[in-house]
Amino acid sequence: MSECGSGHYRHVLNDAPCELPVGKVVCVGRNYAAHAKELNNPVPESPIIFIKPATSIQPLSEPIRWPGGLGSCHHELEISILIGARVTKQSASEVVGHIAGIGLGLDLTLRDLQNQLKAKGQPWELAKAFDGACPLSGFVLPAEFRDLSNIQLALRINGELRQQGNSSDMLTPITELIAYISQYITLEAGDVVLTGTPAGVGPFQSGDQLTLILDERFQFGAKVA
Ligand code: ZN
């Protein structure tokens, strides 16, 4: 699969289109304790895993949209991991060599709909897996980062700092998370792992201008339609 919902998304690595196919996005809920708290959710005992399909991916540079009539759409800023080779039932030390790139993504969430679905005990797929629900930045090479357990991420909206975090605060660190997922779900080359959002989630407003900042060195712009 080299195309997805918006029809023209390609992974970008080091500012160049990347040959890896576009696959699924495997995500984790409540991977930062402070975010679990802000939504009055318990801190989970093991990672909460869900999937966004390839059709939910769009370039971060495209205007952010969501289905109308379903209430608020929240931003969740997350470190994204581009998988470079098949990962199945591997250990944390084994998965390190299969990380092709590191970037930022938005786990767009129809929060009102998600709350309704959670109240009914139903899966929250419709709130998180709709077309365009996963805007992704380009990826940079993992060699750019000395320590995967010390990567900063920040989101500014209209210039104001709204989300800030560090992978050191993850309940399940990046390589452990990928290893955990791979015990159940095989990750293929071109799949993406979203690693959870720090605190500060909130609703978008039409026209919002976003700046996503990875490790204080890499900046990506985005805009709400
Ligand atoms: Zn999320």
Side-chain angles (χ1 to χ4, degrees):
M1 196 189 317
S2 62
E3 290 193 341
C4 66
S6 59
H8 48 270
Y9 174 83
R10 297 272 309 274
H11 291 312
V12 171
L13 181 59
N14 254 5
D15 291 323
C18 162
E19 290 311 310
L20 290 173
V22 178
K24 61 187 175 291
V25 183
V26 185
C27 310
V28 58
R30 299 178 215 161
N31 201 25
Y32 292 78
H35 167 64
K37 246 178 240 159
E38 75 177 340
L39 295 183
N40 295 316
N41 284 316
V43 171
E45 281 166 25
S46 53
I48 301 170
I49 302 300
F50 61 97
I51 288 179
K52 288 176 181 265
T55 44
S56 69
I57 302 175
Q58 71 169 31
L60 190 61
S61 53
E62 274 186 15
I64 292 168
R65 304 172 197 277
W66 56 89
L70 296 173
S72 65
C73 180
H74 276 205
H75 51 81
E76 296 192 358
L77 173 72
E78 313 201 0
I79 295 172
S80 58
I81 306 294
L82 179 61
I83 301 295
R86 173 176 285 200
V87 180
T88 188
K89 295 184 172 56
Q90 292 190 358
S91 67
S93 56
E94 288 171 317
V95 306
V96 177
H98 298 330
I99 295 175
I102 296 176
L104 290 172
L106 294 169
D107 169 16
L108 298 192
T109 304
L110 299 170
R111 189 71 69 200
D112 300 313
L113 178 61
Q114 186 195 30
N115 287 338
Q116 290 163 22
L117 293 168
K118 278 163 70 178
K120 291 188 225 166
Q122 294 178 3
W124 60 44
E125 239 66 17
L126 278 183
K128 281 182 174 279
F130 57 89
D131 291 354
C134 190
L136 293 178
S137 77
F139 296 88
V140 295
L141 294 171
E144 291 280 354
F145 302 89
R146 259 183 304 172
D147 182 0
L148 294 182
S149 296
N150 184 19
I151 299 176
Q152 293 192 38
L153 67 168
L155 172 65
R156 290 183 174 278
I157 299 184
N158 305 322
E160 182 191 335
L161 184 63
R162 296 280 280 274
Q163 287 197 264
Q164 192 174 33
N166 190 298
S167 61
S168 62
D169 294 324
M170 289 180 181
L171 297 172
T172 306
I174 290 172
T175 51
E176 278 82 348
L177 175 64
I178 296 170
Y180 178 85
I181 292 167
S182 84
Q183 304 309 308
Y184 305 92
I185 301 168
T186 293
L187 294 164
E188 303 278 10
D191 285 352
V192 170
V193 173
L194 286 188
T195 56
T197 189
V201 302
F204 283 126
Q205 309 294 336
S206 181
D208 278 346
Q209 301 277 351
L210 281 60
T211 308
L212 289 69
I213 307 154
L214 176 62
D215 217 35
E216 294 181 335
R217 292 176 290 158
F218 306 99
Q219 290 207 0
F220 309 95
K223 176 171 177 276
V224 177

